[in-house]
Amino acid sequence: MLVGVLALQGAFSAHQSALADCGASTRQVRVAGDLDGLDALVMPGGESTTMSRLLSTSGLFDPLAERIRDDLAVFGTCAGMILLARDVLDGRPDQRSFDAIDITVRRNGYGRQVDSFEADIDVPSLNSPFHAVFIRAPKVERIGPDITVLACHDGVPVLARQGRVFVASFHPELTPDPRLHSLFLQEV
Ligand code: GLN
């Protein structure tokens, strides 16, 4: 299985390690040709406004949007979740997203003053809690009817899917626990 990791900016190499721990081959994705032959793609955390700009200037946005429409399996974490969301609140006016999952997220929705926190979250499909690292995380403010919520923190969805599109508002690649990458790869 070949899994691309969007490598324009952000925490992409830690995702490659987690995917390798699950037995997947990985490829850094920077231009449209890098999408050829991928079975799945991870969009990492980082800065969604910068990634949006680089996706446009690299010419990658439109070919990637087409692959996602054609049912490419995608896992977006933190900024990656913002890029996949239908609606983004507190984004920059020129910020683009793929409208790949029917959720509304607010950038930095957990507050700027508390930039970062960690929490053990219950993921019903795992047999013990997952230690989640939230860094200037987006907050889910609305979910559409076709969304499956896979985990919540304080009543707010933090891990969800719609078909083959998975999103997490935290950074599963920053803890040495590949279970969520593995959960995603099971669906590929
Ligand atoms: N706040 C960042 C953004 O808007 C996301 C932070 C992250 O990915 N850790 O893109």
Side-chain angles (χ1 to χ4, degrees), residues 7-90:
L8 297 171
Q9 191 263 342
F12 51 86
S13 54
H15 272 296
Q16 286 187 279
S17 307
L19 291 163
D21 287 347
C22 300
S25 301
T26 64
R27 177 198 288 157
Q28 297 185 358
V29 172
R30 293 195 176 82
V31 293
D34 296 334
L35 297 172
D36 292 347
L38 292 185
D39 300 302
L41 179 76
V42 170
M43 292 191 186
E47 179 47 59
S48 60
T49 54
T50 306
M51 282 195 229
S52 165
R53 182 170 50 76
L54 294 173
L55 280 162
S56 292
T57 56
S58 65
L60 187 53
F61 192 95
D62 291 334
L64 179 50
E66 195 179 319
R67 282 299 306 273
I68 295 171
R69 273 196 302 274
D70 286 349
D71 215 22
L72 181 69
V74 196
F75 186 15
T77 64
C78 205
M81 174 198 234
I82 297 171
L83 287 173
L84 290 170
R86 169 159 299 170
D87 297 307
V88 177
L89 305 175
D90 291 342

Side-chain angles (χ1 to χ4, degrees), residues 29-176:
V29 172
R30 293 195 176 82
V31 293
D34 296 334
L35 297 172
D36 292 347
L38 292 185
D39 300 302
L41 179 76
V42 170
M43 292 191 186
E47 179 47 59
S48 60
T49 54
T50 306
M51 282 195 229
S52 165
R53 182 170 50 76
L54 294 173
L55 280 162
S56 292
T57 56
S58 65
L60 187 53
F61 192 95
D62 291 334
L64 179 50
E66 195 179 319
R67 282 299 306 273
I68 295 171
R69 273 196 302 274
D70 286 349
D71 215 22
L72 181 69
V74 196
F75 186 15
T77 64
C78 205
M81 174 198 234
I82 297 171
L83 287 173
L84 290 170
R86 169 159 299 170
D87 297 307
V88 177
L89 305 175
D90 291 342
R92 274 180 36 160
D94 60 349
Q95 177 165 2
R96 300 172 77 191
S97 66
F98 289 102
D99 186 7
I101 181 163
D102 185 15
I103 58 174
T104 301
V105 295
R106 187 176 295 280
R107 283 183 65 226
N108 305 317
Y110 288 92
R112 285 177 181 280
Q113 70 284 16
V114 188
D115 276 346
S116 174
F117 64 96
E118 301 186 13
D120 286 329
I121 58 166
D122 282 318
V123 182
S125 49
L126 304 181
N127 54 17
S128 62
F130 190 91
H131 190 70
V133 178
F134 294 80
I135 303 170
R136 293 191 305 120
K139 195 168 198 172
V140 174
E141 297 206 352
R142 181 196 63 86
I143 56 168
D146 297 329
I147 302 297
T148 303
V149 174
L150 301 172
C152 287
H153 173 64
D154 284 348
V156 176
V158 292
L159 181 69
R161 70 181 288 185
Q162 180 175 355
R164 283 155 66 81
V165 178
F166 287 68
V167 290
S169 46
F170 54 92
H171 282 259
E173 79 286 8
L174 293 185
T175 39

